[in-house]
Amino acid sequence: MRFNTRLIHERQPADPATGAVNPPIYLSSTFRQSAPNVHSGYVYSRSGNPTRAVLEAALAAVEGGRTGLAFSSGLGALATLLEGFPSGARIVAGDDLYGGTWRLFEHHRRQFGVRIDYVDMTDLGRLRASLASKADLVYLESPTNPLLKVLDLRRVARLGKGAGALVVVDNTFATPALQRPIELGADLVLHSTTKYLGGHSDIIGGALVVREEKEAERFAWLQNAVGAVPSPFDCFLVLRGLHTLGVRMRAHGESARAVAEVLEGHPKVKKVHYPGLASHPQHALARRQMEGYGGIVSVDLAGGRRAVLRFLKGLEIFTLAESLGGVESLVDHPATMTHASVPKAEREAHGVTDGLVRLSCGIEDPSDLADDVRTALRGV
Ligand SMILES: *Cc1c(COP(=O)(O)O)cnc(C)c1O
């Protein structure tokens, strides 16, 4: 089966009891046992729930891993993952990450004696040098949030595994419709299913997909022990989102291209970040590695924060809000919103300036989105 067919059918049989083509939402916290520890396979819904099980199997299938694990948020998935890296562990992370990921690393994990080093992984020489010291976890996003840097997943995975580390890719921006890190050598994929997988800005959720049995058992154990699990209803919504992921990602890509083309070369724009533009420094890599360039475009406005405020005021279709990946277009000012927990000096040093705006291009008509951005720029 090809990918768009697999999204809808792989490991999603009709309900065996009724033939329902969608899984029932099993709103039950617990399950009857006929004698102590004699049961149907389900005991307690933190440990496992039949609706969640369908979602987890589907996620594993579309990412090409052995096991899928669903969580109550992307950060819930990350926090659970990090429980597997106790005091003394060393994490080598990409230098452009979701702000909440950075906050969890810096303001929480570090105080438990975990060492974390950030590396610009577009420079493989630098990554190789960093991996000369012991590393337990290599953690990265591609494309990165919010600067849309594209990392060579196959080579990063090879270097990470060569150093004996577990390689984990946050695949939230690309989704498995555009890129499957496990097929390129990663050990685990992490998702904020809040974003494209859910796709409709109506739930908060997360996931891990694990390649090997050994790690799958370890992280499934942690999922139950830590308990950051999603409700069955939220699992149902993510599964419903997954079914349309293929068509949505194609539409998001068309919108983003239309918007990026308006921005590129515009006199009020300092720089556009979109991997689909030939001018993007990793465009050739993105073309090889991805099956499309995604729906996020970041733009550095020439006039800094003042220009940003005028631009935001001028937008009518793009809604100012955190988050991304829904059918509706959203706009974010990373410096004061999603990445406000990163200190200014650190932010600016790697390009998250006060003039940077992140656009999550939805699936409205691409021409309307392009017009919206064009009009807003006129007011800057
Ligand atoms: C939103 C996001 C997260 C965090 O996920 P939540 O569901 O908000 O907890 C992690 N990584 C990336 C790339 C994100 O965009």
Side-chain angles (χ1 to χ4, degrees):
M1 282 191 288
R2 291 168 183 82
F3 187 77
N4 284 343
T5 313
R6 290 169 48 208
L7 278 174
I8 296 167
H9 294 292
E10 195 169 11
R11 299 183 67 183
Q12 299 177 53
D15 176 48
T18 63
V21 296
N22 287 306
I25 302 168
Y26 283 93
L27 292 175
S28 191
S29 58
T30 192
F31 300 84
R32 183 179 60 85
Q33 307 192 12
S34 54
N37 298 314
V38 181
H39 51 72
S40 62
Y42 293 98
V43 173
Y44 184 62
S45 276
R46 170 165 31 75
S47 320
N49 172 282
T51 312
R52 192 175 98 207
V54 177
L55 171 64
E56 292 181 329
L59 287 171
V62 299
E63 282 287 7
R66 171 174 288 270
T67 299
L69 300 168
F71 292 89
S72 53
S73 69
L75 288 182
L78 178 62
T80 304
L81 171 80
L82 294 178
E83 290 294 330
F85 297 88
S87 171
R90 176 169 178 258
I91 301 172
V92 175
D95 69 341
D96 187 37
L97 296 167
Y98 173 66
T101 298
W102 185 87
R103 181 175 58 200
L104 192 56
F105 282 167
E106 278 308 292
H107 294 313
H108 190 60
R109 274 289 137 191
R110 212 183 258 294
Q111 70 189 351
F112 296 111
V114 174
R115 210 178 127 196
I116 306 153
D117 293 312
Y118 302 93
V119 178
D120 176 358
M121 295 189 192
T122 58
D123 183 341
L124 292 167
R126 249 191 251 183
L127 177 61
R128 197 176 289 114
S130 181
L131 290 174
S133 314
K134 162 194 123 91
D136 302 287
L137 169 63
V138 170
Y139 189 89
L140 60 145
E141 300 174 5
S142 181
T144 64
N145 182 1
L147 292 172
L148 287 314
K149 291 198 265 188
V150 176
L151 306 179
D152 189 330
L153 297 182
R154 194 184 292 278
R155 295 173 77 180
V156 169
R158 198 180 302 144
L159 287 173
K161 297 187 77 168
L166 207 69
V167 177
V168 179
V169 176
D170 180 338
N171 204 27
T172 299
F173 269 35
T175 84
L178 306 187
Q179 125 190 319
R180 289 176 291 281
I182 288 175
E183 289 174 3
L184 300 173
D187 296 298
L188 272 93
V189 162
L190 181 143
H191 275 284
S192 169
T193 57
T194 311
K195 315 293 169 53
Y196 287 110
L197 300 195
H200 295 74
S201 306
D202 51 9
I203 58 114
I204 298 286
L208 293 174
V209 176
V210 194
R211 175 199 191 102
E212 303 275 355
E213 179 69 34
K214 185 164 66 95
E215 270 88 35
E217 273 174 27
R218 183 167 144 223
F219 290 111
W221 186 90
L222 280 170
Q223 179 197 38
N224 178 50
V226 174
V229 295
S231 76
F233 186 66
D234 287 356
C235 292
F236 173 85
L237 286 177
V238 175
L239 190 70
R240 188 166 75 160
L242 202 63
H243 293 160
T244 56
L245 182 69
V247 287
R248 281 188 292 108
M249 289 314 290
R250 212 176 309 137
H252 283 296
E254 285 169 19
S255 296
R257 167 166 302 282
V259 165
E261 283 172 357
V262 169
L263 293 167
E264 184 161 56
H266 193 284
K268 289 169 184 168
V269 166
K270 208 191 284 177
K271 196 165 181 191
V272 190
H273 306 271
Y274 185 60
L277 292 174
S279 59
H280 185 281
Q282 293 97 36
H283 174 65
L285 169 63
R287 202 161 71 191
R288 279 201 307 280
Q289 182 166 278
M290 302 172 71
E291 288 160 46
Y293 305 101
I296 311 293
V297 179
S298 289
V299 54
D300 204 349
L301 294 178
R305 189 184 294 235
R306 277 188 46 200
V308 167
L309 293 177
R310 299 293 295 264
F311 180 68
L312 295 177
K313 260 209 163 56
L315 289 168
E316 282 191 355
I317 299 175
F318 282 86
T319 301
L320 179 64
E322 303 213 356
S323 201
L324 57 98
V327 293
E328 68 289 294
S329 293
L330 299 178
V331 57
D332 164 56
H333 183 226
T336 57
M337 294 167 65
T338 47
H339 292 66
S341 60
V342 184
K344 188 175 163 79
E346 189 136 345
R347 260 198 296 110
E348 301 234 319
H350 77 273
V352 184
T353 61
D354 286 349
L356 192 78
V357 172
R358 188 189 70 194
L359 297 157
S360 172
C361 303
I363 64 169
E364 301 95 337
D365 193 297
S367 303
D368 286 333
L369 299 179
D371 287 346
D372 199 29
V373 167
R374 205 177 282 120
T375 307
L377 282 173
R378 218 170 284 140
V380 170

